[in-house]
Amino acid sequence: MLGYYLTNQGQVRNHNEDAGGVFKNDEGQTLGVVADGMGGHQAGDVASQMATSHLHKKWQEIERLSTPDEAENWLREAIRTANNEIKSYADEHVECAGMGTTIVVAICTEQFATIGHIGDSRCYVANAYGFKSITEDHSLVNELVRSGQISEEQAENHPRKNVLLKALGTEFDLTADVKTLEFEVNDRLLLCTDGLTNKVNEDELSELKNFDGDWTDYCQTLVDLANERGGEDNITLTVVHYDSPSDEKEGAE
């Protein structure tokens, strides 16, 4: 299981509020994380780093996740406790009041991938069936599209495009949307912030399904493309490629 993570400040922002990473547990299973922080007098980076660190720590503590139910339960609870930790910290530190972060997380095993998210950072999958998004943005504009009030084309340039309806750390006991899909050899996942998806369209992202080179180059090419088109936001992405079943520990139950 190969994992790659890249973050970039972009061309306009004076600091990077994104965070994330790719982490292995003792059983060789992979956790991919992407978080896009916001608010609180430049405390967005605090929220995204707290979310990432919390999930990383929890991931190091667990034993092997053998079933989708186990993975989904673990992910819901890990995101819930990360949320409450961020909210409590913001309540106790006035300089962090109002901070929050998106989160998108993927647990990748040899049999399945379990994805959880809050906010508008996304997860895409490329497999034998093609390329598609498997998350639904928790955003005002997406809700307007879903309810038929505006078209997808109108959503692209909507003045309230960045308004979130749900963000990690903004209220206690938020629940993530969680789903599981089969994960087979040569399947790929892309987790990314809106700093990428606002600049690179899905046709361009779909190269994920055909790419056969160095994943570091793939990630850098997407970051460069977003920056060439303005780079007004931080840009962060994680790729997980199930290249072969040999990386997880043999004989584990």
Side-chain angles (χ1 to χ4, degrees):
M1 202 81 67
L2 302 175
Y4 296 84
Y5 169 76
L6 183 62
T7 189
N8 185 274
Q9 186 171 308
Q11 302 287 79
V12 175
R13 298 290 180 90
N14 60 15
H15 70 300
N16 193 341
E17 293 187 315
D18 290 356
V22 180
F23 312 110
K24 299 271 189 175
N25 63 16
D26 287 344
E27 295 290 344
Q29 295 177 321
T30 298
L31 185 78
V33 181
V34 162
D36 180 356
M38 67 204 77
H41 296 90
Q42 299 188 343
D45 54 341
V46 175
S48 62
Q49 289 287 352
M50 284 182 68
T52 300
S53 296
H54 183 93
L55 288 159
H56 183 198
K57 180 175 180 289
K58 293 292 185 184
W59 190 242
Q60 300 307 311
E61 294 172 352
I62 68 162
E63 297 181 357
R64 184 182 183 88
L65 294 172
S66 300
T67 68
D69 281 349
E70 288 178 2
E72 290 182 5
N73 290 337
W74 181 88
L75 191 50
R76 284 193 186 93
E77 180 62 11
I79 292 176
R80 188 190 70 81
T81 55
N83 173 81
N84 289 350
E85 182 177 83
I86 295 166
K87 174 61 174 162
S88 294
Y89 188 90
D91 288 350
E92 294 164 7
H93 296 78
V94 64
E95 71 277 12
C96 294
M99 74 174 180
T101 182
T102 72
I103 194 78
V104 59
V105 188
I107 296 169
C108 301
T109 79
E110 291 187 352
Q111 291 79 35
F112 60 86
T114 298
I115 294 91
H117 87 289
I118 290 176
D120 64 356
S121 293
R122 296 178 184 172
C123 179
Y124 295 90
V125 61
N127 56 25
Y129 303 101
F131 173 85
K132 67 174 183 177
S133 174
I134 53 176
T135 53
E136 283 273 356
D137 292 353
H138 298 133
S139 66
L140 174 62
V141 165
N142 189 55
E143 195 58 38
L144 292 174
V145 171
R146 290 178 62 184
S147 64
Q149 296 180 60
I150 63 172
S151 68
E152 290 189 9
E153 291 73 24
Q154 289 172 316
E156 286 301 314
N157 298 300
H158 196 280
R160 303 189 72 189
K161 186 173 181 178
N162 295 325
V163 175
L164 294 182
L165 300 181
K166 200 173 180 182
L168 199 71
T170 56
E171 59 183 279
F172 285 110
D173 295 324
L174 282 180
T175 302
D177 289 355
V178 176
K179 64 178 65 175
T180 297
L181 58 153
E182 290 185 14
F183 205 47
E184 300 179 338
V185 173
N186 207 36
D187 288 358
R188 299 104 186 265
L189 294 179
L190 168 65
L191 286 64
C192 55
T193 61
D194 65 347
L196 182 67
T197 54
N198 283 341
K199 294 297 179 181
V200 182
N201 64 46
E202 290 196 4
D203 283 344
E204 293 165 323
L205 294 177
S206 70
E207 173 62 19
L208 180 76
K209 66 179 183 290
N210 300 316
F211 189 77
D212 188 25
D214 186 330
W215 285 108
T216 305
D217 293 340
Y218 172 86
C219 294
Q220 189 63 56
T221 297
L222 290 180
V223 166
D224 292 345
L225 190 56
N227 276 325
E228 287 166 13
R229 294 174 179 173
E232 291 90 354
D233 201 353
N234 309 139
I235 307 151
T236 301
L237 66 158
T238 286
V239 171
V240 180
H241 178 204
Y242 186 178
D243 64 324
S244 74
S246 60
D247 288 341
E248 291 189 17
K249 288 186 177 181
E250 296 181 3
E253 296 183 3

